[in-house]
Amino acid sequence: MKTPIPRKSLPTRSQASRSGGIVSSSHLVSPRSVELSEFEFGLIVAWNAFSRWAVRCMAAAGCPDLTITDVLLVHHLCHRARNKKLADICFVLNYEDTHVVAYSLKKLVAAGLAQAEKAGKEVFYSPTAQGEAFVQKYREVREECLVKSLDTELNADIGELARLLRTMSGMYDQAARAATSL
């Protein structure tokens, strides 16, 4: 049985506030990196905002009742006009739970947005013409509601942030492997 950490060793809410960080879990704030806790809170808020946006944008494009996973998959199926295997989709989008992706792909096929084609033992997925049309409409809504209001001077910062997110995702993946081996 693990011994609980004494409460006094954890940072208090006021200590986290004094550090200037806006965090969701003050008990995780480390003296070595308040910024990491700030980043994680920003990531949580940004992911939820992005998810809400993508689902509502797809609904505005005429395709309601999709989850964020469904929306991401239909976009990925349209990416570079290549048929994709389940394993490759999971790898590129960094999904660990293949059953979640498989279920979503079945929903997209049933909705007429994707098609499955068996080649030997492999199943390849691609968008249908209807799926491509909804993705094109999504792009139009995105341009009107999001891109149009974007300050183009932020584009360089957005590019840097994208690179940082990819770097951090690698760090989180490595930390997850390390935690699994404990």
Side-chain angles (χ1 to χ4, degrees):
M1 183 170 154
K2 292 185 179 181
T3 309
I5 298 171
R7 185 75 178 147
K8 64 181 179 183
S9 67
L10 296 173
T12 64
R13 197 170 297 215
S14 61
Q15 286 170 323
S17 298
R18 281 196 307 262
S19 67
I22 298 173
V23 300
S24 66
S25 302
S26 61
H27 60 279
L28 295 178
V29 175
S30 169
R32 292 186 60 188
S33 183
V34 172
E35 295 82 1
L36 183 60
S37 294
E38 287 183 286
F39 173 80
E40 289 172 344
F41 181 57
L43 195 59
I44 292 164
V45 173
W47 169 251
N48 287 317
F50 172 75
S51 297
R52 184 172 42 256
W53 152 252
V55 167
R56 290 188 180 160
C57 184
M58 189 57 92
C63 200
D65 303 324
L66 296 184
T67 66
I68 184 59
T69 299
D70 302 334
V71 173
L72 295 176
L73 291 180
V74 75
H75 284 295
H76 185 63
L77 292 177
C78 290
H79 179 62
R80 300 209 175 156
R82 289 188 216 144
N83 294 348
K84 295 166 178 75
K85 298 185 297 187
L86 173 64
D88 294 336
I89 294 167
C90 291
F91 179 72
V92 170
L93 297 179
N94 205 14
Y95 272 87
E96 184 175 23
D97 299 325
T98 57
H99 65 280
V100 170
V101 176
Y103 177 73
S104 183
L105 287 168
K106 285 179 185 176
K107 281 176 47 183
L108 293 173
V109 168
L113 302 175
Q115 56 195 359
E117 181 181 320
K118 196 163 185 171
K121 292 183 179 182
E122 297 288 349
V123 178
F124 290 88
Y125 295 91
S126 60
T128 61
Q130 182 184 18
E132 289 177 337
F134 279 120
V135 166
Q136 182 57 39
K137 182 65 178 163
Y138 178 104
R139 180 184 173 145
E140 293 167 13
V141 173
R142 181 178 181 264
E143 287 289 326
E144 182 64 29
C145 296
L146 183 63
V147 176
K148 192 175 179 181
S149 64
L150 181 67
D151 180 356
T152 55
E153 290 180 19
L154 289 176
N155 282 338
D157 292 337
I158 292 170
E160 281 300 312
L161 181 58
R163 285 183 278 285
L164 175 63
L165 284 170
R166 287 190 300 274
T167 298
M168 292 303 297
S169 72
M171 292 178 70
Y172 280 110
D173 280 341
Q174 179 58 38
R177 282 189 290 278
T180 300
S181 68
L182 293 179

